[in-house]
Amino acid sequence: MTLDTQSLNKDRQDLSKLDEIWLFGYGSLIYKVDFRFIRSEKAHILGYERRFWQGSHDHRGIPEKPGRVLTLVEAEGVRCGGIAFQVSHDVFDHLDHREKNGYLRYETVLHLDSGREVKGLVYTADADNDAYLGEASIAELAHQIYECTGPSGPNREYVYDLAAALRANGEIDEHVFAIERALLVMENT
Ligand code: SIN
């Protein structure tokens, strides 16, 4: 697979057939909302959890020194809380460009906090994409994140901004919070 998924994503879904288009954000799409949306609300998806297993060559790192950003991995019996955005099809040129470093759009069921279940799209980075870095210990993840920076800023800001946004939404994510704690220890030593 190439490192730029933009053309792959364009052909993945026929968005013109949908009455409502929903997008599920679980990472930077929660705290950096640089796209137009019609409405948003808290939501969750089932069977996936956040992991800092995806490499970032274009936002939070550089090709010679990739940072770490989130993807979703399958896990039984878990829920992943995030934000559902109702959007129109014209935001996807921008979003596909933003998420081009290995992410593909998948269809999934979003459980909106208001009680509705809707079909939606989510960007996830699979283990077979060229930027994938995979599992590492919390200490290793935090160390790499602490050291990396890219065109969108220091990698650690991704963690801090996300952790703050999750807390503001009442979400507990021990993977994210453990990395945040390890980073804060490094900041203070
Ligand atoms: C997302 O936020 O939903 C996708 C991953 C990211 O851009 O951090």
Side-chain angles (χ1 to χ4, degrees), residues 23-31 69-71 98-99 103 122-124 158:
L23 169 73
F24 181 71
Y26 58 90
S28 70
L29 291 176
I30 294 181
Y31 68 80
V69 288
L70 282 176
T71 186
R98 174 172 159 174
E99 304 294 324
Y103 292 85
V122 61
Y123 285 93
T124 62
Y158 181 115

Side-chain angles (χ1 to χ4, degrees), residues 32-177:
K32 187 180 174 193
V33 185
D34 61 354
F35 53 91
R36 281 186 300 118
F37 60 93
I38 300 156
R39 57 194 157 123
S40 68
E41 67 174 273
K42 283 168 46 177
H44 66 272
I45 60 172
L46 296 173
Y48 290 91
E49 59 193 4
R50 276 178 268 265
R51 287 293 178 262
F52 274 92
W53 293 359
Q54 174 66 1
S56 178
H57 303 76
D58 58 345
H59 284 296
R60 299 296 180 167
I62 54 173
E64 304 75 46
K65 199 171 173 185
R68 289 258 182 181
V69 288
L70 282 176
T71 186
L72 293 176
V73 298
E74 279 185 62
E76 240 176 80
V78 301
R79 71 182 272 295
C80 175
I83 302 289
F85 300 93
Q86 191 190 345
V87 294
S88 64
H89 60 85
D90 53 12
V91 297
F92 285 98
D93 279 348
H94 167 67
L95 290 173
D96 288 348
H97 180 263
R98 174 172 159 174
E99 304 294 324
K100 69 183 184 311
N101 199 46
Y103 292 85
L104 292 174
R105 290 189 221 147
Y106 283 94
E107 284 180 38
T108 189
V109 176
L110 311 191
H111 302 266
L112 306 182
D113 267 21
S114 57
R116 276 178 79 198
E117 275 180 22
V118 294
K119 268 198 205 156
L121 300 174
V122 61
Y123 285 93
T124 62
D126 297 328
D128 68 351
N129 85 83
D130 287 346
Y132 196 75
L133 294 174
E135 189 168 0
S137 69
I138 294 293
E140 286 165 336
L141 294 174
H143 187 75
Q144 185 173 355
I145 289 168
Y146 189 77
E147 296 287 318
C148 286
T149 193
S152 296
N155 202 173
R156 65 188 93 160
E157 272 179 10
Y158 181 115
V159 179
Y160 298 150
D161 290 350
L162 175 69
L166 289 176
R167 273 191 204 98
N169 287 333
E171 282 299 324
I172 294 167
D173 190 314
E174 262 316 310
H175 178 75
V176 176
F177 293 168

Side-chain angles (χ1 to χ4, degrees), residues 2 5 10 34 45 66 81 113 170 180 182 189:
T2 65
T5 53
K10 280 198 192 339
D34 61 354
I45 60 172
D113 267 21
E180 180 194 38
T189 46

